[in-house]
Amino acid sequence: MSSIYPQKPSQFLLLFSSYVQWNTIERKPGHFDFSGVNNLTRYIQMAQEEGLLVILRIGPFIDAEVDMGGLPSWLLKEHAHPSLRSMDPHWIAAVERYMAALLPRIKPLLYSAGGPIISIQVENEYGSYRPECSHPQYKTHLRDLLWKHLGKDSVVYFTTDGNGDAYLQCGPVPGVLITTDYGAGTDVAKAIATLRKFQPNGPVVNSEFYSGWLDHWEERHSHVSGQQVAKTLDQMLSANMSVNM
């Protein structure tokens, strides 16, 4: 997969990571809106014009501290008890319809096609959602959907999971780069060792380095030490890691 990466030895690459929210694109079942703020094509083109490479996190579940992780609310209305993020046929039909509308718009923007997108996320912290490791076939089904629409070797596909054995036992997808996420103050050497249990070779990536933290209602404002952020970042870079802040 390394052959599709930009070749700039000993240099930092300018990238940005962005989510795609399903619930803004398909507000009603089968009605897709890629205009205005949903104009994903133009959005990614603007990134390229600014000299940025793109890590795209398309869902279907993105978390990102948004309602239902970006899933459309009508999923709950249409089906009384849908089994989200599983092989439930109602869920799979909705996901496949969404991907069929979204992915052809992304394909011309892949780095291998001259665009800025170098990496696409297959699943987001599935190890936290399915700690009992159920529905492993769902993850591979998502992977195969991406391969079908975009090509198996056209871009670097990855998953993100928490920094821990339990998360990494359930979250990764065969044939897809495993990345982990954690914040300032983490024991970087231990985090790398944990990842290496499940991915002995290949790049070590923190795909969500938390330089801050979210606030919960009626709780005190979260504060993270800037010095601690800098220290942990320095440790990761010194270990030749790739980091997405």
Side-chain angles (χ1 to χ4, degrees), residues 49-91:
E49 290 167 6
E50 296 300 322
L52 295 169
L53 298 171
V54 177
I55 301 168
L56 201 60
R57 310 175 78 158
I58 61 173
F61 177 84
I62 61 171
D63 195 359
E65 284 64 62
V66 297
D67 288 348
M68 277 184 65
L71 301 181
S73 59
W74 51 258
L75 284 167
L76 302 179
K77 181 180 179 182
E78 292 285 305
H79 314 292
H81 298 288
S83 182
L84 304 178
R85 302 172 78 188
S86 75
M87 288 303 293
D88 176 272
H90 298 296
W91 163 258

Side-chain angles (χ1 to χ4, degrees), residues 75-118:
L75 284 167
L76 302 179
K77 181 180 179 182
E78 292 285 305
H79 314 292
H81 298 288
S83 182
L84 304 178
R85 302 172 78 188
S86 75
M87 288 303 293
D88 176 272
H90 298 296
W91 163 258
I92 290 296
V95 169
E96 290 182 344
R97 183 178 65 214
Y98 166 61
M99 292 294 184
L102 175 68
L103 296 180
R105 295 173 179 271
I106 292 173
K107 189 171 184 178
L109 300 168
L110 301 181
Y111 188 83
S112 56
I117 301 173
I118 65 167

Side-chain angles (χ1 to χ4, degrees), residues 17 19 56-65 69-70 85 120-130 138-139 142 158-162 167 170-173 179 181 207-208 210 244:
S17 176
Y19 292 105
L56 201 60
R57 310 175 78 158
I58 61 173
F61 177 84
I62 61 171
D63 195 359
E65 284 64 62
R85 302 172 78 188
I120 291 180
Q121 187 179 44
V122 176
E123 242 294 350
N124 188 78
E125 296 183 338
Y126 196 75
S128 300
Y129 183 64
R130 295 285 181 185
Y138 164 65
K139 298 179 299 179
L142 270 187
F158 72 100
T159 58
T160 301
D161 276 291
Y167 304 123
C170 301
V173 180
T179 75
D181 54 12
S207 53
E208 288 183 35
Y210 308 128
N244 171 40

Side-chain angles (χ1 to χ4, degrees), residues 125-134 139 160-172 180 194-195 197-198:
E125 296 183 338
Y126 196 75
S128 300
Y129 183 64
R130 295 285 181 185
E132 72 280 16
C133 296
S134 61
K139 298 179 299 179
T160 301
D161 276 291
N163 168 41
D165 288 1
Y167 304 123
L168 292 172
Q169 285 167 357
C170 301
T180 54
T194 299
L195 175 64
K197 294 179 189 177
F198 300 88

